[in-house]
């Protein structure tokens, strides 16, 4: 049970960094003379501030310099004067007089506030505790460096670095507030663009449903980075589209900044660079060479620090790409090929035209892990209604988004990898909904009924999770144990082991002691199965300082654990099984056992 | 670089048979969604 003081510390660790990032963005937006106002300006400030702050934290932590909350609090206060830039003018303010959009916006604000606070709840998202938070903990305990046996530390981690202040303050649960910030930013951008393309009511509703959609709820409360990639990518493509429609050079600057931040957050977002370039070259208003090249140089400058970091820690500045030229760093060609295959195939979809349509249907109705039902019904129900003869910029945008959606389906079908595309589905749904609602009473009633039904279902699902997370703010351990019981049990076993403790596939690295994750996808260097010789595995683990292993075993009194390598060690006396009359459950008929290496 | 396009463009309302088809489509998708939420296996 957390005390009031502990809750205050949690709230400070979750709120202060967010306000500091926003303050940086407020000043950057002023320097860039961004014209946006209101929530849209705040969203853009968030993107600019987080992108810049991430690069600053990269520099600070590379030099092993601290990122204390006190300094961030001062930074947050310094942003206050620039807040007035967000105010609307009197004429803009009069557009907000309509009752329905105002009421919907008020509901959105309530949902946003609940989402933000619930993001302080205990971290139970698998990826967050498997590698995002452990990596940031390692880079908080020491400088940013290569971490042998932690492959994820060699990929881009621009958004991960935003978790550093919360983790450094000893409040890792508060790191999720950064993801909530990105979720709110996406909703604000969707709202603003939908207002431009449809109506004020459609914009406000699109913003609200962007918050309520299951994908946002799953990601916005977790210390993961997909919403960050989604927000940067969406803003970049929107800015490129605005260049096509308006021809203002600041749009190219914003696109370049957001593209750089997206690529820093996750390497696969670099695919948006050629897409944005194609958008401005083919969208009917090809930019003059000089401003285009200068924005390309700006983008290159933003992504260079991560090339330098990766070059220093792996020897390959574009790791894990071009291994044949620059080397495979801490990994091997075979293992990296397995990792590529894993990303492509761990979501089972049939790569065919019918398979593509089944995949799309699964996003709304399905039962496929990492895909199903995450979008809710509105994109499928309303987005097709938006189709009309589009102007050239919109046609090019739609064509490029279709190419991206196809690439995602073929190579990375988990929905989170398509995060930059999802806000466009909301935008299309807003336009489609506005067209039907504008067609007469029957159309308006149909749209209203669909919104009420889907909103009620979304809210019921969300409210249950929100309530549980809010209760868990005071009592986190019961919530964590209920969400990931096998991991809670494993933590007890790891606590008894001699560090470094090796943990098996199916375990998360967020543990009370230093651990070595035996999952090849996480360690990047060891297939801990029949493919590896037991002597080679033992030598590598000793090199990594491993003294004990926590491993899943069948329930019972067997002197073996049922793992080819560990059983070989036990038979030869290289390891011993620690006696435990009542080993904790690892799920179903399995238990966690502790093995000590000799 | 050319003249800017108008920013706010009210989308053209659906009319005639398109409106009828759109209402049916919307109702169908939402009904299937509700069914899926209730446990009906619509698609894998």
């Amino acid at each position: 049970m957390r005390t009031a003081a502990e809750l205050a510390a949690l709230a400070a660790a979750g709120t202060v960094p967010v306000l500091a990032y926003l303050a940086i963005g407020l000043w950057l937006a002023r320097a860039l003379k961004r014209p946006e106002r209101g929530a849209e300006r705040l969203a853009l400030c968030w993107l600019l501030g987080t992108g810049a702050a991430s690069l600053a934290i990269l520099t600070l932590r590379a030099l092993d310099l601290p990122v204390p909350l006190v300094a961030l609090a001062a930074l947050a206060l310094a942003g206050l004067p620039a807040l007035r830039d967000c105010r609307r003018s009197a004429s803009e303010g009069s557009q907000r007089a309509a009752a329905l959009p105002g009421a919907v916006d008020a509901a959105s604000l309530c949902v946003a506030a609940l989402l933000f606070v619930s993001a302080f709840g205990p971290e139970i998202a698998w990826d967050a505790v498997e590698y995002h938070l452990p990596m940031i903990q390692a880079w908080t305990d020491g400088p940013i460096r290569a971490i042998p046996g932690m492959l994820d530390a060699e990929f881009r981690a621009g958004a991960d670095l935003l978790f550093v202040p919360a983790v450094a303050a000893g409040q890792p649960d508060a790191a999720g507030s950064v993801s909530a910030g990105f979720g709110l930013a996406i909703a604000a951008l969707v709202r603003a663009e939908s207002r431009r393309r449809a109506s004020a009511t459609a914009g406000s509703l699109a913003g609200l449903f962007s918050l309520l959609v299951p994908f946002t709820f799953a990601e916005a409360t977790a210390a993961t980075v997909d919403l960050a990639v989604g927000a940067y990518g969406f803003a970049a493509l929107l800015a490129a589209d605005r260049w096509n429609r308006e021809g203002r050079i600041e749009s190219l600057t914003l696109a370049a900044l957001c593209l750089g931040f997206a690529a820093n957050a996750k390497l696969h977002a670099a695919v948006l660079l050629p897409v944005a370039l194609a958008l401005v070259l083919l969208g009917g208003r090809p930019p003059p060479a000089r401003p285009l090249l200068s924005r390309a140089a700006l983008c290159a400058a933003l992504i260079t620090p991560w090339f330098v970091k990766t070059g220093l820690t792996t020897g390959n500045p574009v790791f894990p790409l071009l291994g044949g030229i620059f080397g495979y760093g801490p990994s091997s060609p075979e293992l990296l090929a397995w990792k590529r295959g894993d990303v492509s195939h761990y979501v089972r979809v049939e790569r065919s035209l019918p398979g593509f349509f089944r995949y799309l249907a699964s996003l709304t109705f399905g039962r496929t892990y990492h895909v199903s039902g995450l979008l809710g019904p509105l994109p499928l129900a309303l987005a097709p209604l938006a189709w009309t003869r589009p102007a050239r910029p919109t046609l090019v945008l739609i064509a490029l988004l279709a190419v991206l959606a196809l690439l995602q389906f073929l190579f990375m079908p988990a929905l989170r990898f398509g995060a930059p595309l999802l806000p466009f589905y909301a935008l299309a749904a807003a336009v489609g909904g506005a067209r039907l609602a504008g067609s007469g009473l029957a159309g308006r009633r149909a749209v209203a009924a669909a919104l009420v039904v889907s909103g009620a279902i979304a809210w019921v699902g969300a409210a249950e999770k929100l309530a549980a997370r809010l209760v868990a703010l005071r009592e986190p351990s019961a919530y964590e144990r209920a969400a990931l019981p096998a991991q809670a049990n494993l933590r007890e076993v790891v606590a008894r082991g001699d560090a470094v403790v090796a943990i098996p596939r199916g375990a998360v690295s967020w543990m009370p002691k230093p651990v070595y994750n035996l999952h090849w996808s996480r360690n990047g260097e060891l297939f801990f199965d029949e493919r590896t010789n037991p002597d080679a595995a033992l030598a590598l683990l000793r090199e990594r300082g491993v003294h004990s292993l926590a491993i899943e075993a069948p329930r019972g009194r067997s002197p073996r654990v049922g793992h080819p390598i560990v059983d070989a060690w036990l038979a030869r006396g290289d390891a011993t099984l620690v006696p435990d009359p009542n080993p904790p459950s690892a799920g179903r008929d399995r238990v966690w056992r502790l093995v000590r290496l000799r | 670089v050319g003249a800017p396009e108008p920013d706010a463009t009210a989308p053209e309302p659906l009319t005639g048979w398109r409106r009828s088809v759109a209402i049916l489509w919307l109702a169908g998708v939402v009904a299937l969604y509700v069914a899926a939420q209730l446990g009906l296996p619509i698609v894998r």
Side-chain angles (χ1 to χ4, degrees):
Chain A
M1 180 81 80
R2 285 191 175 112
T3 63
E6 287 168 337
L7 281 172
L10 178 72
T15 309
V16 170
V18 163
L19 294 177
Y21 302 152
L22 198 55
I24 295 170
L26 284 164
W27 286 106
L28 282 174
R30 180 178 278 192
L32 292 169
K33 298 186 170 56
R34 295 299 317 165
E36 294 82 4
R37 293 288 178 269
E40 186 183 21
R41 187 178 184 89
L42 281 175
L44 282 178
C45 291
W46 171 253
L47 300 189
L48 295 171
T50 50
S54 163
L55 288 169
I57 295 172
L58 175 64
T59 309
L60 291 169
R61 291 310 305 145
L63 301 171
D64 205 11
L65 294 170
V67 190
L69 279 187
V70 177
L72 293 178
L75 204 55
L77 288 174
L80 286 177
L83 254 182
R84 66 170 176 267
D85 297 347
C86 295
R87 277 192 309 214
R88 294 174 182 279
S89 65
S91 62
E92 289 167 326
S94 67
Q95 293 173 4
R96 303 179 65 197
L100 182 56
V104 175
D105 287 345
S108 296
L109 276 177
C110 293
V111 174
L114 284 171
L115 201 59
F116 187 73
V117 176
S118 80
F120 300 175
E123 190 55 79
I124 57 163
W126 185 267
D127 285 1
V129 284
E130 192 182 23
Y131 59 93
H132 288 292
L133 284 179
M135 179 178 75
I136 291 305
Q137 183 71 63
W139 283 348
T140 302
D141 295 340
I144 290 177
R145 63 200 184 282
I147 305 173
M150 189 183 277
L151 184 61
D152 296 286
E154 305 307 345
F155 301 136
R156 271 142 188 75
D160 295 79
L161 288 182
L162 300 169
F163 307 148
V164 163
V167 173
Q171 302 289 347
D173 284 347
S177 63
V178 173
S179 295
F182 283 107
L184 269 52
I186 289 174
L189 292 176
V190 165
R191 173 181 175 273
E193 190 65 14
S194 299
R195 284 184 161 222
R196 288 191 192 99
R197 290 190 177 256
S199 66
T201 304
S204 294
L205 285 165
L208 174 62
F209 278 87
S210 296
L211 289 173
L212 284 175
V213 72
F215 178 78
T216 305
F217 252 88
E219 296 284 337
T221 54
T224 53
V225 302
D226 301 297
L227 287 179
V229 177
Y232 292 135
F234 177 54
L237 295 180
L238 273 188
D241 175 65
R242 284 187 80 74
W243 159 264
N244 288 339
R245 291 190 289 136
E246 295 180 352
R248 285 215 298 259
I249 211 78
E250 305 86 50
S251 298
L252 289 180
T253 308
L254 182 62
L257 289 166
C258 289
L259 286 170
F261 297 151
N264 284 348
K266 226 173 197 181
L267 186 56
H268 83 253
V271 74
L272 296 174
L273 272 71
V275 169
L277 183 63
L279 187 55
V280 295
L281 290 179
L282 303 174
R285 197 192 301 271
R290 197 168 168 172
L292 187 62
L293 287 175
S294 65
R295 271 61 185 183
L298 171 64
C299 185
L302 290 176
I303 60 180
T304 295
W306 276 101
F307 285 124
V308 173
K309 181 268 168 199
T310 313
L312 288 174
T313 56
T314 70
N316 176 354
V318 291
F319 181 82
L321 307 176
L322 303 182
I325 301 170
F326 297 112
Y328 297 96
S331 197
S332 64
E334 187 192 8
L335 201 137
L336 290 177
W338 267 82
K339 195 158 176 71
R340 278 194 300 277
D342 193 42
V343 168
S344 176
H345 294 296
Y346 78 96
V347 175
R348 290 171 188 271
V349 293
E350 181 192 327
R351 266 54 170 216
S352 65
L353 191 61
F356 181 63
F357 287 109
R358 271 198 294 274
Y359 170 74
L360 291 182
S362 186
L363 298 176
T364 303
F365 311 118
R367 293 155 178 260
T368 303
Y369 192 52
H370 289 305
V371 170
S372 287
L374 290 174
L375 286 187
L378 297 180
L380 182 62
L382 295 177
L385 313 186
W387 183 257
T388 182
R389 204 173 302 156
R392 177 169 172 162
T394 303
L395 185 64
V396 174
L397 177 64
I398 291 171
L400 289 167
L401 292 174
V403 171
L404 282 174
L406 189 62
L407 288 174
Q408 188 204 342
F409 166 70
L410 290 175
F411 299 108
M412 303 172 108
L415 187 64
R416 61 197 179 87
F417 293 125
L421 300 178
L422 307 185
F424 285 104
Y425 302 160
L427 188 54
V431 174
R435 291 190 75 199
L436 184 53
S439 69
L441 187 61
R444 243 190 328 277
R445 282 183 173 163
V447 172
L451 292 175
V452 167
V453 169
S454 56
I457 291 173
W459 176 245
V460 167
E464 190 184 355
K465 289 176 191 148
L466 273 177
R469 289 189 66 81
L470 293 175
V471 170
L473 289 173
R474 290 214 69 181
E475 179 51 74
S477 54
Y479 178 81
E480 286 169 346
R481 178 167 284 277
L484 300 168
Q487 304 304 315
N489 289 342
L490 176 61
R491 283 194 181 95
E492 293 169 11
V493 177
V494 168
R496 294 203 301 268
D498 302 324
V500 174
V501 185
I503 55 171
R505 183 173 183 158
V508 301
S509 299
W510 190 246
M511 288 287 155
K513 281 187 176 171
V515 294
Y516 179 94
N517 197 322
L518 291 166
H519 186 355
W520 57 266
S521 181
R522 298 276 80 87
N523 65 53
E525 58 186 7
L526 173 64
F527 288 112
F528 194 65
D529 52 32
E530 60 284 342
R531 281 172 286 186
T532 304
N533 178 286
D535 291 330
L538 188 60
L540 179 65
L541 292 188
R542 283 184 171 144
E543 198 180 318
R544 297 283 173 255
V546 172
H547 287 94
S548 54
L549 284 91
I551 192 141
E552 272 181 88
R555 207 177 282 278
R557 295 182 177 277
S558 169
R560 298 287 178 264
V561 297
H563 188 283
I565 294 179
V566 181
D567 283 345
W569 294 342
L570 290 170
R572 293 186 331 209
D574 288 329
T576 55
L577 201 56
V578 177
D580 187 350
N582 191 22
S585 171
R588 275 171 277 175
D589 56 345
R590 314 279 288 174
V591 291
W592 293 116
R593 300 299 306 269
L594 190 62
V595 174
R596 208 158 266 144
L597 296 185
R598 287 196 169 148
Chain B
V1 292
E5 283 191 8
D7 201 5
T9 49
E12 195 182 317
L14 295 166
T15 53
W17 64 268
R18 290 186 181 84
R19 177 177 56 186
S20 305
V21 170
I23 290 173
L24 285 175
W25 169 257
L26 175 61
V29 170
V30 173
L32 282 176
Y33 179 71
V34 172
Q37 294 297 308
L38 294 174
L40 204 70
I42 308 291
V43 67
R44 193 183 63 175

